[in-house]
Amino acid sequence: MTRSPSSPGFWRSPLRGPRLTSVLGVVLLGGITVLFVTGLVSYAAYNPNLSPVNDKTPDKGILGFYLFSWPTDPHWLYRLNQGVHVTLGVTLIPVLLAKLWSVIPRLFALPPARSLAHALERISLLLLVGGALFEFVTGVLNIQLDYIFPGSFYTLHFYGAWVFFAAFIVHVVLKTPMALRNLRHLREEKDDLVSPRPDPPTVSRRGALWFVGGGSLLLFATTVGQSFDGLLRRTALLAPHGGADPGSGPNGFQINKTARYAGIDAAETTEDAWHLVVTGRTGTVRLSRAQLARLPLHSAALPIACVEGWSTSDQWWLGVRLRDLAALVGYDDDPPDVLVESLQRRGAFRRAALRANQVADPRSLLALYVNGEDLSPDHGFPARIIVPAAPGVLNTKWVARMTFGDL
Ligand SMILES: Nc1nc2c(c(=O)[nH]1)N[C@H]1C(S)=C(S)[C@@H](COP(=O)(O)O)O[C@H]1N2
Ligand SMILES: [Mo]
């Protein structure tokens, strides 16, 4: 009988019990709530309703709600939000695994359902555990591999989050009172998680918690550096993403997709070949890079902050204000939304839309220079967008066309 995982005697660890499960559960309650909120905020940062360009999630309905235009202040807003989302998500992995381990006997408990209520609870658990694993796995794949917005990752992680969170709410409502009771009373009550025939302990419960916490600390220490430059970034052993080696010098900061990867041919970006085409209320204007450089230039110190969690510190960009470009095509005081398109012919990031409040911000630039030098090919030469507080993906590189108004 003890051979079967559905019999309580099969599970021999003396660590299992309501107290261990409750401690881990309370940590996850706080942590996952933060993940969900920062995830929703990150979604809002894409300005998802701006034409079908920024968010192509099919049939999102009310789940794709958003409540506000993404602000441009403070300029590090997305950097902070996404750094917390990704670093915290990675840090919680050991806690999630330990929590699942601590309740595994219940997965096999028989009969599968004692009552309708019990059946419903078990179904919600299936969605909870499946959803949690799904969100953590898709999230980690996205930062470690080359899954890209707005392809499958974005849609999967989005829908997975809602399924998971619905089950999470049910679970929290059902379990929190008991978890808090378990934490207040130090004795282990009779509980289905406590093994009836425990093996002798090889580690204390406190030791086990230190082990889990140590794992989390290690992941944290090897991830958090992705939000900083220099030596600290080199500690981000687990968050290597951010494409090619950026080298040193003025353009020596994280690169996501290189010019070569994006299929940008140097011959298309020469002074003779490249023109920016700006369209708006009063028609179309074509500008060479030399002509752009003779317009009033402004500078702004802004970071690149990718959805994958990595970011750079503030770089010093110099270029033409987006609102000045809007004024060239008939929007003098009332800059509208803009659709920005890259020279790049294929790939997910070749176009992005910006909202009027982003265009209006005096720090939003079509940058020609960074840190006192021409943009490098990999950072978007001849010209790229840079907008305060926006996710990296909206900072289109190798810009070819800008269409203001009526998206
Ligand atoms: N045309 C184009 N623009 C792009 C991308 C791209 O692949 N193609 N990547 C975007 C993403 S996801 C990020 S995070 C930033 C990265 O900018 P960087 O490579 O200069 O750091 O560029 C954005 N602009
Ligand atoms: Mo990105």
Side-chain angles (χ1 to χ4, degrees):
M1 200 45 196
T2 53
R3 291 276 172 76
S4 152
S6 63
S7 77
F10 178 87
W11 303 97
R12 307 291 291 272
S13 171
L15 292 174
R16 282 203 187 83
R19 199 164 155 74
L20 178 72
T21 296
S22 300
V23 171
L24 297 169
V26 166
V27 173
L28 287 178
L29 169 62
I32 287 183
T33 303
V34 172
L35 289 184
F36 186 70
V37 171
T38 49
L40 271 185
V41 166
S42 177
Y43 178 74
Y46 281 85
N47 280 330
N49 72 322
L50 261 187
S51 65
V53 178
N54 290 10
D55 174 26
K56 301 193 180 86
T57 309
D59 302 323
K60 56 187 170 166
I62 54 161
L63 295 185
F65 77 102
Y66 72 99
L67 299 172
F68 51 91
S69 301
W70 182 247
T72 53
D73 272 304
H75 71 271
W76 38 261
L77 185 59
Y78 192 76
R79 188 179 177 202
L80 176 70
N81 184 82
Q82 212 54 17
V84 169
H85 185 76
V86 172
T87 301
L88 181 61
V90 170
T91 301
L92 286 178
I93 290 173
V95 185
L96 177 74
L97 294 179
K99 174 75 163 57
L100 294 179
W101 176 86
S102 81
V103 293
I104 204 157
R106 284 192 186 146
L107 183 63
F108 298 95
L110 288 175
R114 291 188 302 269
S115 63
L116 184 63
H118 186 229
L120 287 177
E121 199 216 309
R122 289 199 82 178
I123 291 173
S124 85
L125 280 180
L126 209 64
L127 296 179
L128 184 78
V129 173
L133 288 174
F134 184 83
E135 286 304 274
F136 276 80
V137 167
T138 52
V140 168
L141 284 179
N142 185 53
I143 53 178
Q144 293 297 334
L145 298 174
D146 201 17
Y147 266 35
I148 42 171
F149 161 81
S152 54
F153 159 73
Y154 185 88
T155 311
L156 294 175
H157 205 64
F158 174 83
Y159 278 121
W162 282 115
V163 170
F164 168 75
F165 206 69
F168 185 67
I169 296 280
V170 172
H171 188 69
V172 167
V173 168
L174 291 176
K175 300 287 186 177
T176 305
M178 195 176 54
L180 294 179
R181 229 179 304 130
N182 288 336
L183 288 178
R184 269 200 300 273
H185 304 295
L186 289 176
R187 73 209 139 81
E188 294 277 4
E189 288 156 41
K190 196 174 152 21
D191 187 286
D192 60 332
L193 289 175
V194 177
S195 172
R197 300 188 317 118
D199 282 334
T202 51
V203 57
S204 67
R205 186 160 298 150
R206 176 163 302 210
L209 283 175
W210 275 112
F211 181 67
V212 174
S216 282
L217 203 66
L218 190 69
L219 288 179
F220 176 82
T222 47
T223 304
V224 69
Q226 68 176 334
S227 304
F228 303 92
D229 289 335
L231 282 178
L232 264 176
R233 178 176 308 275
R234 282 199 237 146
T235 64
L237 303 174
L238 288 179
H241 212 79
D245 176 9
S248 56
N251 276 280
F253 56 96
Q254 292 303 102
I255 295 163
N256 195 353
K257 300 284 182 280
T258 61
R260 165 194 263 267
Y261 177 98
I264 304 295
D265 184 346
E268 307 171 273
T269 61
T270 60
E271 183 61 32
D272 290 336
W274 185 83
H275 281 85
L276 175 72
V277 178
V278 187
T279 304
R281 201 186 259 157
T282 53
T284 294
V285 176
R286 270 166 62 93
L287 294 157
S288 70
R289 194 167 189 277
Q291 288 170 320
L292 278 167
R294 284 195 295 272
L295 294 176
L297 298 184
H298 297 271
S299 65
L302 300 171
I304 300 275
C306 184
V307 66
E308 291 160 356
W310 61 265
S311 55
T312 71
S313 56
D314 293 353
Q315 310 297 320
W316 192 74
W317 308 91
L318 183 67
V320 182
R321 283 182 173 154
L322 298 188
R323 67 181 195 197
D324 290 351
L325 292 169
L328 282 182
V329 289
Y331 300 93
D332 285 313
D333 313 303
D334 53 339
D337 301 342
V338 65
L339 174 66
V340 180
E341 293 169 277
S342 171
L343 272 181
Q344 193 181 340
R345 277 167 215 89
R346 284 176 300 119
F349 309 124
R350 70 180 189 286
R351 49 196 213 135
L354 299 169
R355 208 191 281 289
N357 68 308
Q358 293 173 314
V359 175
D361 192 294
R363 296 163 299 173
S364 296
L365 303 175
L366 179 70
L368 308 176
Y369 310 93
V370 66
N371 301 322
E373 212 173 69
D374 274 337
L375 290 172
S376 68
D378 290 338
H379 282 305
F381 182 87
R384 80 168 302 164
I385 299 290
I386 186 80
V387 171
V393 68
L394 299 187
N395 295 323
T396 307
K397 303 196 277 192
W398 314 292
V399 173
R401 264 178 306 282
M402 301 178 66
T403 310
F404 286 93
D406 287 339
L407 296 189

